[in-house]
């Protein structure tokens, strides 16, 4: 049954994706992305593998031969090895997710008033996964460069798997929804396929598809792709370069941080507001492994040797970006846990009390933090993340624009996310949000934006 009461309609505006009614333009945009985004991952693979990372060489060949001819010539096909590896990977991760012990954490209240609990075993799953991978490689049972060597087949196959999983999520939302009143329909099937219908779809009571896909498939594979490219560089070059070592160190720190702080992730937009559709399912199964790791892929194929001083400075800035990102997120996490008992930078934290209604008709309360980083700008965590991502691209030391894709993507993603989140928060908290914006007028950088 579709939600239609005034209460549900009102609550629909304060959570999840925008717009109860999509225009034809919105549907066209969503359908273009469903087609163009997978093509984008294929083009990135082709440029890195066959054009030495040069977009201009790729563009010249396209101008000469035509895009269709280039795509036909170089597009990777799904392979048996890739399909088998992905099936084994998903199966192994599902077992770890289901059976490894972990602390229980709570998400945020959903619009229908559910407070879902999650078993947080991401860190132990990361350790087990990498230990098993290390042991298999050590005893010669698995090629550490397998991912890099089979990258074309893996990109093609993860594209198909991501599209398929999004399709199954779409069907499940109609046939067997986990929380029927937490679904959101836009009136456009294409848009619903793209953005998702169910907020927190589960298999059974506990197997949360969104947490599994985002964290145990997407984030988990990131470090393995980096390590595999490092191994490939070693096998082809005879040694590993400082740039790939520092890049992998920086990204491992980010991934490990994610798993160490998994309970914090439950309060982020991904889990609390984004629905489970193509955007998240395909995004975490295919886009994240393909695009976030471009730097390591580039260095695996085309090693660079920037000066050590340059690498040291960029690495230090990367660490600074990470420290900022972590400290901002920690402050909000502590504020949510401790409320008025929380102290920030040695002083009692200051808050604006904001209220909102869930669809069960209950009035609930949030505290908007106005101290520390959250008094400096409204999204200082995004600033730290953007600095970090630019540094991880700069570590490659190449002038090819393609190695900057991750940083450009993060800047766009987070700027867009900030705008859409703030629109939602204005509706959700009303005057309290306006008061917060007056008190903290800057979104990212004071004096800039
Ligand atoms: P935030 O963690 O900043 O969460 C935003 C939410 O926080 C808002 O929706 C609101 O939620 C609440 N909020 C906003 N202002 C305040 C305040 N002053 N006090 C208390 N609560 C407030 O955003 P994200 O979930 O987007 O990002 C989390 C982290 O993940 C960020 O550091 C980001 O950089 C990173 N990230 C990384 C990505 C990647 O691909 N590597 C992708 C996306 C994010 P509510 O409605 O519950 O009040």
């Amino acid at each position: 049954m579709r939600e239609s009461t005034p209460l549900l309609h009102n609550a629909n505006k304060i959570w999840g994706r925008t717009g109860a009614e999509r225009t034809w333009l919105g549907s066209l945009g969503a359908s273009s992305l469903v087609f163009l985004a997978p093509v984008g991952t294929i083009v990135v693979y082709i440029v890195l593998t066959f054009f030495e990372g040069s977009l201009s060489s790729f563009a010249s060949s396209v101008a000469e031969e035509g895009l269709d001819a280039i795509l036909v010539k170089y597009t990777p096909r799904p392979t048996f090895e890739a399909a088998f590896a992905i099936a084994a990977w998903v199966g192994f991760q599902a077992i770890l997710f289901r059976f490894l012990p972990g602390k229980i954490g709570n998400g945020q209240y959903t619009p229908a008033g559910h407070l879902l609990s999650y078993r947080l075993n991401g860190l132990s799953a990361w350790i087990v996964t990498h230990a098993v991978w290390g042991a298999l490689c050590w005893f010669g049972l698995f090629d550490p460069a397998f991912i890099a060597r089979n990258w074309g087949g893996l990109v093609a196959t993860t594209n198909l798997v991501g599209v398929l999983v999004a399709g199954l999520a779409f069907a499940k939302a109609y046939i067997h929804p986990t929380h029927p009143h937490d679904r959101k329909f836009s009136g456009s099937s294409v848009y619903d396929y793209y953005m998702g219908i169910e907020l927190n779809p589960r298999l059974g009571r506990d197997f949360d598809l969104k947490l599994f896909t985002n964290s145990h498939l997407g984030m988990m594979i990131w470090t393995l792709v980096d390590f595999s490219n490092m191994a490939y560089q070693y096998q082809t070059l005879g040694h590993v370069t400082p740039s790939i070592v520092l890049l992998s160190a920086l990204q491992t720190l980010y991934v490990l941080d994610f798993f160490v702080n998994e309970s914090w992730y439950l309060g982020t937009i991904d889990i609390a507001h984004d629905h489970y559709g193509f955007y998240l399912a395909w995004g975490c199964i295919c886009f994240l492994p393909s695009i976030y790791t471009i730097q390591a892929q580039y260095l695996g194929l085309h090693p660079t040797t920037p000066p050590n001083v340059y690498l040291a400075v960029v690495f230090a800035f990367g660490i600074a970006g990470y420290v900022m990102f972590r400290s901002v997120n920690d402050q909000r996490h502590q504020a949510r846990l401790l409320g008025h008992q929380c102290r920030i930078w040695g002083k009692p934290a200051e808050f604006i009390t904001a209220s909102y209604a869930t669809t069960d008709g209950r009035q609930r309360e949030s505290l908007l933090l106005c101290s520390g980083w959250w008094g400096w700008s409204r999204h200082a965590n995004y600033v730290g993340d953007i600095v970090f991502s630019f540094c991880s691209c700069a570590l490659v030391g190449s002038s090819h624009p393609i190695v900057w894709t991750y940083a450009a993507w993060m800047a766009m993603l987070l700027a867009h996310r900030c705008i859409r989140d703030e629109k939602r928060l204005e509706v959700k908290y009303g005057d309290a949000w306006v008061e917060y914006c007056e008190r903290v007028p800057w979104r990212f950088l004071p004096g800039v934006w």
Side-chain angles (χ1 to χ4, degrees), residues 11-22:
N12 256 345
K13 291 187 190 158
I14 62 163
W15 57 277
R17 291 292 177 179
T18 52
E21 296 90 27
R22 299 305 303 177

Side-chain angles (χ1 to χ4, degrees), residues 269 292 332 336 369 381-382 385 417 424 428-429:
I269 293 174
Y292 287 26
R332 198 201 49 188
R336 277 200 169 153
L369 178 61
N381 50 350
Y382 290 179
D385 211 344
R417 194 177 258 244
R424 188 184 62 78
K428 179 174 179 181
Y429 296 132

Side-chain angles (χ1 to χ4, degrees), residues 24-38 188 190-191 193-194 278:
W24 65 269
L25 200 61
S27 305
L28 188 72
S31 51
S32 320
L33 281 170
V34 168
F35 172 72
L36 288 177
S188 157
V190 180
Y191 189 80
Y193 171 79
Y194 178 71
F278 177 88

Side-chain angles (χ1 to χ4, degrees), residues 44 48 289-299 402-403 405-406:
V44 164
L48 286 172
S290 306
I291 302 300
Y292 287 26
T293 63
I294 284 178
Q295 305 98 289
Q297 295 173 50
Y298 182 90
L299 289 172
I402 199 165
V403 304
T405 311
Y406 172 55

Side-chain angles (χ1 to χ4, degrees), residues 163-236:
V163 167
L164 183 71
V165 170
L168 292 174
F170 181 85
K172 178 186 174 305
Y174 280 94
I175 300 165
H176 191 54
T178 307
H179 303 108
H181 291 295
D182 277 332
R183 290 177 298 171
K184 190 166 188 177
F185 295 92
S186 69
S188 157
S189 297
V190 180
Y191 189 80
D192 287 349
Y193 171 79
Y194 178 71
M195 288 303 194
I197 297 171
E198 284 199 88
L199 184 58
N200 302 110
R202 292 190 163 193
L203 299 179
R205 213 166 55 95
D206 293 330
F207 198 100
D208 190 272
L209 285 170
K210 192 158 60 168
L211 186 64
F212 176 65
T213 312
N214 294 12
S215 111
H216 287 246
L217 297 183
M219 293 300 284
M220 193 75 70
I221 196 73
W222 189 347
T223 36
L224 284 184
V225 178
D226 282 1
F227 296 162
S228 183
N229 278 288
M230 197 162 20
Y232 184 76
Q233 196 189 67
Y234 182 78
Q235 291 175 2
T236 51

